[in-house]
Structure formats: C-alpha cells, structure tokens
Amino acid sequence: MPKLNAALIDRLRLRWVPLLLAVGLNGCSTYYGQLALGQLELLRQRQPVEAIIADPSQDTALRQRLAQALQAREFASQALGLPDNDSYRLYADLQRPYVVWNLFATEEFSVEPLQHCFPVAGCVAYRGYYRQGAARGEAARLRLQGLDTHVAGVEAYSTLGWFDDPLLNTMLRRNDEQLAALIFHELAHQQLYLPGDTAFNESYASFVEREGLRQWRASRGLVEQDQQGRIRYRQLVELVLQTRERLATLYASELPPAELRRLKQAEFMHLRQGYRALRDGTWEGDRRFERWFAQPLNNATLLPFGLYDRWVPAFATIFEQCAGDWPCFHQRVAELARLSSDEREARLSEAQAERQNQH
C-alpha cells in the first residue's frame, strides 16, 4: 500500500514547526516527547483514501466504509462551509482501539479539573497519551498524591488545521452516520477554535455535528432521526450535573475530611440510584450507559459531562438568526470568539434564553 508521496510530505513539513516548538519549549519533557512522537507516527501512517478505495486488493468492507466517509467529507465542505483540505481524505490504521487516552484529574474534595496549558490549544481539563499504559501509570501516580483520576479512550481528535488529520481505524468503530457526524465535529474545530474555552469550542462543534448530520440525512432522503437516544443522554447529563453541583456545595463546607469522604460516597451512591430509576422506569430497561456506571465513580469521572453541549441551544439560535446560512453562522461565531470571556458568555446566555422562550 503506497505511503504519502514526497511532495505531500514536503508540503506538510512547515506545519510540524508548532509541535516541535512545543517540545523544545519544554526541554526533554517525557510527556511532550510522547506527544511529538505519537503525532509524527500517526502522520507517517496516512494513506490517500481514494487510493485505498481504488485498490481491489484491499478489504472490501474497508473500501466501502471509506467511500461512505469520503461522501460525508465532501458534503462537509460543499454544504456546511467547513474547511476544504486533505483532512479526512487520508486514512491511517493505528492497530489499536483508540488514538489517545485522556487523563482527567481533580483534588479529592473538588469538582474542578486540574488544568493543563499548551502552546497551541490553550488550557484544557486533561492530558492526552498515545499509550494506554502511560495514561494509567500517570493516573496511578496522581492517585498516590490523593487525587481523583479518570482515563478515557478517544476515537479522534483535531490538530486544529496544523496537520491534515486522517480518518482512523478507531473512528470506524462507529456506523456510517455516526462517522459522518464525527467528521463534521472535528472539521468544526478546524473552522474555529478558541484556546482555553472548552465549553464554547465543544458546543459549537456539537451543534455543527448535529445540524450537519440532519442535513446530511435529508440530502440522502432519510427520515428524521429518532431523538430517543439524545433525550436519554440529556437526562443522564442532567443527573450527573446535579450530582456535581451537590458535591461542589459539599466541598465548600467546613466539614472534617472523614465526614466529607462519607458524604462524597453517599452522593455517588445516590447518582447510581438515580440512574437505575431512569433505566428501569422511563427508559424501559435501556442499558446503554451500563458500562460507564460499572466503573468506580469519583470527581474526575464527572468532568467530561456538560462540556460538549452547554451552549448548543445558543448556537441553534444563532443559526436560525442566520436563516440557516452556514457562512453567516460561522462568521457570527467567529465574532463571538473575539469578545472577552464575560461578554461572550453574556451573549451566549441571551441566545440560550431566547431559545428556551421559543420552545
């Protein structure tokens, strides 16, 4: 199977500079070293999707999946106003189930994440590792310091336009529609990314993903999606966020550590009871979240919830104000990104309230 040609590698070489600078700025840091090596190895594995599709010696199922993904990729740029580059027109088989494993951590009595700041991406609530063992090892080290930790596998991530991101074998775990949605989501990060504001970035990308998938389905003559799964996920998120709010109130009290630990565990027991009530009640036995509840729960396991859809209704309002015009929408979001954090949140809150009043 052919590797990327020399001309393409030459074209990409200048884009390696920010990553190499990040490594240089941190000396011989083992963590930044594994980031650089992991990213460069991923780049080395890329192959043009069209070449794989045209090669009859390749696995038939893989060629069909990539052909479907390529159609979604074309739709993303032609219909959704997303970047038109070589991202997701390349493919890499990493021979592992996830591309990276993210490590989240909090103090024992806090629901606020330990923040990690990077030269390009800004500050985020996790650190990513290209090897599961490295993530677990660092998690064990942090637990010895008394911190709560959580390691989660990630199917894809965006390099924010610094590189041509490939389709990955890890992404093919999803069905064709879920894969299309993931492509829309990751390309949205290339379209616009505001360093340090995870809720803004993820909510924007999540709206593009959802509305993009709706339009993608309509373009293929498919009926509207059943919203049951999304409704149930939203109910789960609300349950988790309520637990997080109660824990924040608990941790702000002046109770002794032993009592805090007891009440902390009681809150996680209450969360499990709330889940079982939903599962066995209105969800009619739906066990799709069973694996998540089977793990040990702590402050860190709650961190990812709420980040991906906090401002989705606000972005839906902006999209409606633009009469469904994608270039107008992306421009309006870019204008929000240039505001101060307080003004941006105020504008989003206004759009959110408007949406709620309409519905």
Side-chain angles (χ1 to χ4, degrees):
M1 194 177 290
K3 294 293 184 183
L4 291 176
N5 60 46
L8 182 53
I9 291 178
D10 286 342
R11 180 170 67 80
L12 289 170
R13 188 171 293 146
L14 290 177
R15 291 188 171 186
W16 297 352
V17 171
L19 182 60
L20 296 177
L21 280 175
V23 176
L25 287 171
N26 289 275
C28 296
S29 164
T30 300
Y31 175 72
Y32 282 90
Q34 66 90 27
L35 282 184
L37 292 175
Q39 179 63 48
L40 293 175
E41 177 61 22
L42 184 152
L43 296 179
R44 195 181 69 82
Q45 296 295 324
R46 297 174 304 172
Q47 303 168 53
V49 166
E50 288 186 342
I52 299 174
I53 295 172
D55 185 352
S57 69
Q58 296 300 315
D59 179 75
T60 300
L62 173 63
R63 293 166 65 200
Q64 291 174 344
R65 294 299 313 280
L66 293 180
Q68 288 282 344
L70 201 56
Q71 291 178 24
R73 176 64 186 87
E74 300 302 328
F75 184 85
S77 294
Q78 294 173 6
L80 308 181
L82 296 172
D84 190 2
N85 53 34
D86 282 340
S87 288
Y88 310 112
R89 293 184 171 113
L90 305 166
Y91 175 71
D93 186 347
L94 303 178
Q95 300 291 314
R96 58 179 186 264
Y98 296 104
V99 57
V100 293
W101 285 262
N102 284 345
L103 169 59
F104 299 86
T106 71
E107 299 290 344
E108 181 182 10
F109 302 128
S110 173
V111 291
E112 296 301 318
L114 297 187
Q115 293 282 341
H116 306 280
C117 299
F118 302 93
V120 176
C123 297
V124 294
Y126 55 83
R127 296 181 92 179
Y129 294 83
Y130 282 90
R131 295 289 178 265
Q132 185 180 32
R136 288 181 171 178
E138 179 63 11
R141 187 184 71 82
L142 294 177
R143 285 196 298 273
L144 288 175
Q145 298 177 12
L147 275 63
D148 283 8
T149 67
H150 174 56
V151 174
V154 178
E155 298 168 344
Y157 65 85
S158 173
T159 57
L160 310 180
W162 289 109
F163 305 97
D164 290 328
D165 298 317
L167 291 165
L168 301 170
N169 65 296
T170 58
M171 299 166 68
L172 300 186
R173 295 151 59 101
R174 300 186 174 209
N175 64 35
D176 287 338
E177 291 192 1
Q178 293 169 340
L179 179 57
L182 183 56
I183 291 171
F184 303 155
H185 185 105
E186 298 302 337
L187 283 172
H189 286 315
Q190 290 191 18
Q191 177 73 22
L192 187 145
Y193 183 88
L194 181 60
D197 195 334
T198 302
F200 177 84
N201 295 325
E202 295 299 346
S203 296
Y204 165 64
S206 292
F207 173 77
V208 172
E209 168 191 330
R210 295 178 190 181
E211 178 60 22
L213 182 58
R214 189 194 68 77
Q215 294 187 17
W216 168 245
R217 288 177 58 86
S219 74
R220 298 163 67 85
L222 300 175
V223 298
E224 286 285 338
Q225 277 185 302
D226 182 1
Q227 297 299 311
Q228 183 185 75
R230 183 169 294 168
I231 291 170
R232 290 179 179 178
Y233 177 71
R234 186 65 235 173
Q235 290 173 331
L236 174 66
V237 170
E238 290 298 328
L239 189 66
V240 171
L241 293 182
Q242 289 167 11
T243 299
R244 198 159 71 190
E245 290 175 5
R246 289 196 300 270
L247 284 170
T249 300
L250 172 64
Y251 297 150
S253 69
E254 298 182 357
L255 294 173
E259 183 67 3
L260 285 177
R261 291 189 185 99
R262 185 185 70 80
L263 294 174
K264 173 182 177 179
Q265 292 308 311
E267 283 295 344
F268 285 113
M269 184 178 299
H270 182 71
L271 172 60
R272 292 183 188 278
Q273 291 171 344
Y275 161 68
R276 287 193 291 269
L278 284 172
R279 181 196 66 191
D280 301 333
T282 57
W283 292 2
E284 300 177 330
D286 186 341
R287 306 174 73 87
R288 72 182 69 192
F289 304 113
E290 203 75 5
R291 178 179 293 184
W292 190 83
F293 278 96
Q295 69 181 330
L297 299 181
N298 59 41
N299 299 329
T301 59
L302 309 183
L303 290 179
F305 288 88
L307 289 177
Y308 282 75
D309 54 6
R310 178 184 177 188
W311 298 118
V312 167
F315 287 117
T317 298
I318 296 169
F319 190 72
E320 289 180 354
Q321 291 170 348
C322 284
D325 180 73
W326 284 103
C328 168
F329 171 73
H330 294 311
Q331 179 60 35
R332 290 281 303 279
V333 176
E335 291 169 1
L336 282 175
R338 290 192 287 269
L339 300 176
S340 68
S341 59
D342 288 344
E343 189 174 1
R344 182 170 55 255
E345 182 156 340
R347 295 280 186 88
L348 289 169
S349 295
E350 290 174 6
Q352 199 104 311
E354 181 179 336
R355 182 76 175 178
Q356 291 171 348
N357 290 336
Q358 291 174 350
H359 296 81

